[in-house]
Amino acid sequence: MPRYVMESAPAAVTVISGKRYLYFGGTGYYTLQNHPSLLQAATAALARYGMHPATSRGGFGTTPLYVAVEAAYARFFGAEDAAYIASGYLCNLAGLQALTSAARFGAIFVDRGSHYSMTDLLPALGLPVVPFAYRDPENLRRSLRAHLRAGQRALVVSDGIFPLMGHLAPVPAYLEVAAAYDAVLWLDDSHGVGVLGERGRGTCEHYGLASERLLFGGTLSKAFGAYGGVIPGRKDFVRAVRAGHVMNGATSPTSPAAAAALAGVELLAAHPEWRIQLWNNARMLKSGLRRLGLPVEDSPVPIAAWALESAQRMDGVQRALMARGICIQRARYVGAGPAGVLRVVVFSTHTAEQIGRLLEELQRVL
Ligand SMILES: Cc1ncc(COP(=O)(O)O)c(C=O)c1O
């Protein structure tokens, strides 16, 4: 596959290898990465603090910026507190270390489709790891029954939205099974936070779920247009996250990133209409793809992906679209077979005409 070089910020129109494309890739769901308020905040923080970690355990503590980021995300999620983590990738490690340090679990049950940042860390927790079938609560129930000994508690982990295909996890069913076994359910909600739910709180809010046994973390590098990860939750849980290895052992995001994270959450809190626009765009895209005969789910998740019969055919479709000035992803990632998939991401800032044009051109080249 040719190597494309992105030469502008991700936006509905993005410069790639010297040419402007109608762009349907990446994860900048509101294209905040290039929003003037975010750029201004990051630039001001850079001028004030330099390229310095926003908080430094080895130095003289934290910055007002870091404190403000944590308070703003706690407010956004309606949580008692929130921890601002070095990266989205490290959220699962930080969250699960805090959970396993506070309570004893007999085993960890992981949805097989979960992101690398989940599956790679599980052996480090020192508990038996039992994978269960993708988005299959009955298989989870059978696994719990088969692997838990009397008196043992389980930790069940999954992505909230699986990143490649944009599928939602069946969180209500997972929670029901978890409750029957007094288990705790942890979600990597990197693609749900800022995107789903009435207030943008993510997959749990989308499903209307709140429970002491349901916790999550997610990245700030997608919907929020910034960098780092966040874990909202109860005070005691967030305190345990802060006391853990990740927050003490990894450099925090830098001050410009923290300033961007603050601007990003303030923008999303102030503009719920962007979320509605994003969901409408997702529905328009997905219903259009289904009309073309492509098997994509109906949901407000702004990601659609599908496989065609061969890698060559998918390469050909992507190249044909590039030749027509449209960029979609040809992705090989967790959740795809060896041939990979074609993947389209829609932003709140795409117009109906731009989505319509993608669908027309796809119809021509499929
Ligand atoms: C499900 C999921 N979790 C975690 C991450 C990692 O987040 P970050 O890029 O902020 O490290 C990603 C990023 O691509 C992701 O898709």
Side-chain angles (χ1 to χ4, degrees):
M1 208 167 44
R3 183 155 180 257
Y4 298 115
V5 181
M6 244 173 101
E7 292 164 0
S8 70
V13 175
T14 298
V15 181
I16 298 168
S17 299
K19 215 177 127 189
R20 285 162 61 83
Y21 288 91
L22 202 46
Y23 179 66
F24 294 94
T27 54
Y29 301 122
Y30 301 95
T31 55
L32 291 187
Q33 285 79 356
N34 202 24
H35 191 281
S37 307
L38 209 121
L39 298 185
Q40 203 180 18
T43 312
L46 186 61
R48 178 165 175 196
Y49 298 103
M51 199 63 184
H52 190 262
T55 202
S56 152
R57 309 262 166 209
F60 280 89
T62 191
T63 58
L65 199 47
Y66 195 88
V67 174
V69 170
E70 295 199 323
Y73 279 90
R75 263 195 314 280
F76 184 83
F77 288 106
E80 285 179 9
D81 203 350
Y84 183 29
I85 310 281
S87 74
Y89 205 92
L90 287 170
C91 267
N92 292 320
L93 181 56
L96 292 179
Q97 273 185 346
L99 282 172
T100 52
S101 69
R104 269 177 179 278
F105 295 99
I108 304 178
F109 295 78
V110 54
D111 186 306
R112 276 187 195 284
S114 300
H115 190 251
Y116 310 118
S117 59
M118 188 81 90
T119 49
D120 283 358
L121 79 89
L122 295 180
L125 297 172
L127 293 167
V129 175
V130 184
F132 63 90
Y134 184 53
R135 298 205 298 166
D136 188 341
E138 282 317 306
N139 190 259
L140 168 63
R141 195 190 300 275
R142 281 198 297 279
S143 301
L144 284 162
R145 200 180 296 138
H147 292 272
L148 271 191
R149 290 203 301 277
Q152 282 188 327
R153 283 190 90 190
L155 190 50
V156 178
V157 302
S158 173
D159 292 357
I161 295 174
F162 296 93
L164 183 78
M165 305 303 285
H167 294 154
L168 274 155
V171 184
Y174 283 176
L175 189 61
E176 197 188 308
V177 176
Y181 283 83
D182 190 26
V184 172
L185 176 56
W186 167 266
L187 299 178
D188 176 341
D189 206 21
S190 287
H191 294 263
V193 289
V195 169
L196 292 186
E198 203 188 325
R199 286 155 295 192
R201 291 176 180 171
T203 302
C204 301
E205 190 184 40
H206 167 79
Y207 283 122
L209 298 172
S211 162
E212 297 267 297
R213 63 176 79 251
L214 177 58
L215 300 103
F216 64 90
T219 185
L220 305 187
S221 70
K222 303 184 192 305
F224 296 99
Y227 187 81
V230 67
I231 299 181
R234 280 174 41 159
K235 268 195 188 320
D236 52 348
F237 173 58
V238 174
R239 196 179 308 123
V241 170
R242 289 206 184 99
H245 291 176
V246 171
M247 290 202 75
N248 287 287
T251 298
S252 83
T254 57
S255 291
L262 184 56
V265 74
E266 284 170 350
L267 283 166
L268 284 196
H271 292 284
E273 74 281 6
W274 293 351
R275 209 153 37 248
I276 308 288
Q277 186 62 50
L278 182 62
W279 299 346
N280 288 342
N281 283 357
R283 289 228 147 86
M284 180 184 175
L285 171 74
K286 289 176 165 186
S287 59
L289 292 173
R290 279 196 301 277
R291 276 198 301 280
L292 299 181
L294 299 170
V296 299
E297 285 186 353
D298 180 23
S299 83
V301 175
I303 305 167
W306 64 92
L308 297 175
E309 64 276 9
S310 69
Q312 290 81 343
R313 175 96 201 286
M314 289 187 271
D315 291 345
V317 168
Q318 195 221 18
R319 272 200 300 269
L321 285 178
M322 289 295 280
R324 289 166 156 78
I326 296 178
C327 178
I328 70 169
Q329 257 178 298
R330 179 73 182 89
R332 288 179 175 83
Y333 203 64
V334 58
V341 294
L342 289 166
R343 182 173 186 268
V344 178
V345 169
V346 80
F347 305 147
S348 61
T349 49
H350 282 119
T351 63
E353 290 70 37
Q354 289 171 329
I355 298 168
R357 166 120 198 278
L358 165 69
L359 292 168
E360 271 166 35
E361 297 292 1
L362 252 178
Q363 185 165 26
R364 286 196 186 104
V365 302
L366 271 173

